[in-house]
Amino acid sequence: MANSGEEEAESLEADRVAMSIRLSLLVSAIFVVLLFIPMTAKGWIAAFGASMVFGSSSLPAKHPSCKVVGPFGFQMWVTAGNATTTLLLVLLKGSSIRWSSWGAAGALILTATQCCAWPAVGALGAAAGPGIWCGVGMSVAFMWGTMVFQEAVRSLAQCLAALLLLLLGVMGISLCQSSVLQRLASSREAGDLMSFKELEGEGGDHEERGGRAETRGAKLAMGVMLALMTGVFDGSLMAPFKAFLSSSPPSSSSSQSDLVFEYLSSFALALPVVAGGTLLSIIIYNHHVLDASFDRASLKEAAYPGFCAGVLWAIGNVLSVHATLELGQSVGFPMTQSCVVISALWGIVWFKEMTNRLSLLLFLLSSVLVAAGASLLGSNSEG
């Protein structure tokens, strides 16, 4: 009976995730259509769309089959969906497929970002990890834009204040999703706050507890380091695109929009080689050297959610590139990082992952900070 109940719950969870994927793909398709319509506010629409799509791109990872296949097996399908969708969008635009070393550099940076992000989440959790690297990524992207590419902003002081608001908002949203706060709020509502001794545990040998604490400390330190590296790579993701634009000025027969899709074509061509080769090497290493289990049946089951995650990421990337083109890297890319609000909203509204009042209040206040930071940063764009 217990197994039957678990299977039913897993089936319901899979159905709920599948429906959220379909809704996300529908919203993404709408923003793709808007990209092909000439308009003056394309940069703002692209930034908002990137936030919406990136905030939904992690939903397929909630599918039960993805938990079995592991992060790097899942990422193989993400890479396939990403490269395929990007190439299809390039062909749909009618742009020429062109190889560029800058596109390969973008694929390499993305691969480094993902290879650092998965272990960081494993060490710190799905809330704390993104909270660190989003804040670092926004700051790094801003520095790329203002210090390297010399992008003009109306007020440096206001931009820094906006980044601080965004950083505080992202950290607050990450905290309200953390398991520690959830347990604390639940205990508080039940009137049963645990003492420090209960939290630490009273039984067991002192030296054994000390050894466990040391191991946890090392894991935490490694997780923080990987999250910081993820932020540096993530914030640098649009740098190859900006360099590509600088090295390939538009001709009389082409526009900057054409150059966007030429860059994306080289990015898509390089991604299966760079990311696919890296991920395959990691999987083979885990299987043969670390003797980790490898379930081919689970890998096939993860194909649909993994490929859909790649589709969402590809569309989010296309929107993010257009936001960077129109608004600049110092403004456009940091604004896309407000995707954490969308991601948290999925958890609250659709999956009912956050129900206690303390977490919901913190989410509301943090969302206000993110909105204020994004608005202030947007008002300082020269684009």
Side-chain angles (χ1 to χ4, degrees):
M1 291 294 291
N3 290 336
S4 177
E6 291 177 1
E7 290 176 0
E8 183 179 354
E10 187 174 289
S11 177
L12 290 173
E13 178 70 8
D15 291 341
R16 184 175 288 270
V17 172
M19 179 58 72
S20 70
I21 292 174
R22 288 192 286 270
L23 290 173
S24 301
L25 291 173
L26 177 61
V27 172
S28 302
I30 293 173
F31 281 105
V32 168
V33 172
L34 291 176
L35 268 186
F36 289 93
I37 300 176
M39 61 182 71
T40 57
K42 183 176 290 187
W44 305 107
I45 292 175
F48 178 69
S51 298
M52 292 285 291
V53 177
F54 278 142
S56 306
S57 62
S58 62
L59 294 176
K62 294 179 178 289
H63 197 278
S65 63
C66 299
K67 299 174 184 177
V68 178
V69 76
F72 294 109
F74 173 71
Q75 192 62 44
M76 288 288 292
W77 291 114
V78 175
T79 299
N82 189 352
T84 303
T85 304
T86 303
L87 280 176
L88 286 175
L89 289 174
V90 171
L91 294 174
L92 184 62
K93 174 66 176 176
S95 300
S96 59
I97 295 179
R98 169 186 170 188
W99 172 262
S100 169
S101 57
W102 291 118
L108 183 62
I109 293 175
L110 173 62
T111 302
T113 303
Q114 293 170 337
C115 288
C116 291
W118 285 119
V121 168
L124 301 176
I132 293 174
W133 74 58
C134 279
V136 174
M138 288 186 292
S139 303
V140 170
F142 183 79
M143 288 189 289
W144 271 108
T146 55
M147 299 173 65
V148 178
F149 297 110
Q150 301 296 310
E151 294 175 352
V153 293
R154 294 176 182 173
S155 171
L156 180 60
Q158 289 187 19
C159 285
L160 293 176
L163 286 174
L164 179 61
L165 289 173
L166 285 168
L167 177 60
L168 292 175
V170 168
M171 291 175 61
I173 290 173
S174 299
L175 179 60
C176 74
Q177 296 178 90
S178 69
S179 58
V180 174
L181 184 63
Q182 299 280 350
R183 289 197 299 269
L184 177 61
S186 298
S187 300
R188 188 172 182 176
E189 288 177 358
D192 184 28
L193 286 174
M194 300 174 70
S195 67
F196 284 108
K197 287 185 178 181
E198 288 173 316
L199 288 169
E200 293 173 355
E202 296 179 338
D205 182 73
H206 176 73
E207 291 184 0
E208 184 180 346
R209 292 200 303 272
R212 288 199 300 268
E214 185 176 344
T215 302
R216 286 195 299 270
K219 183 180 180 181
L220 179 64
M222 178 60 70
V224 170
M225 185 184 72
L226 287 169
L228 292 173
M229 291 173 63
T230 301
V232 172
F233 289 132
D234 188 44
S236 305
L237 192 56
M238 291 295 111
F241 168 64
K242 291 287 292 184
F244 174 81
L245 288 180
S246 300
S247 63
S248 307
S251 62
S252 57
S253 60
S254 65
S255 63
Q256 281 197 321
S257 181
D258 294 326
L259 289 178
V260 167
F261 284 95
E262 286 184 12
Y263 168 81
L264 289 170
S265 67
S266 63
F267 175 88
L269 289 173
L271 190 59
V273 178
V274 177
T278 302
L279 293 168
L280 187 60
S281 299
I282 293 174
I283 292 173
I284 293 174
Y285 176 81
N286 287 341
H287 179 58
H288 291 286
V289 179
L290 302 182
D291 198 27
S293 59
F294 182 77
D295 189 348
R296 294 184 179 180
S298 297
L299 188 63
K300 292 180 180 179
E301 291 178 10
Y304 171 72
F307 194 89
C308 288
V311 172
L312 291 171
W313 205 98
I315 295 175
N317 187 45
V318 172
L319 291 166
S320 182
V321 167
H322 277 84
T324 301
L325 174 67
E326 300 290 338
L327 306 177
Q329 182 169 355
S330 57
V331 173
F333 186 79
M335 287 183 67
T336 66
Q337 298 305 290
S338 56
C339 61
V340 293
V341 177
I342 306 301
S343 179
L345 278 173
W346 273 110
I348 295 171
V349 177
W350 191 260
F351 294 100
K352 310 297 182 184
E353 295 172 344
M354 194 188 306
T355 56
N356 64 74
R357 287 171 293 183
L358 179 61
S359 295
L360 291 172
L361 178 61
L362 180 57
F363 170 76
L364 179 61
L365 294 175
S366 300
S367 298
V368 171
L369 290 177
V370 170
S375 299
L376 183 58
L377 192 61
S379 68
N380 280 274
S381 171
E382 293 285 353

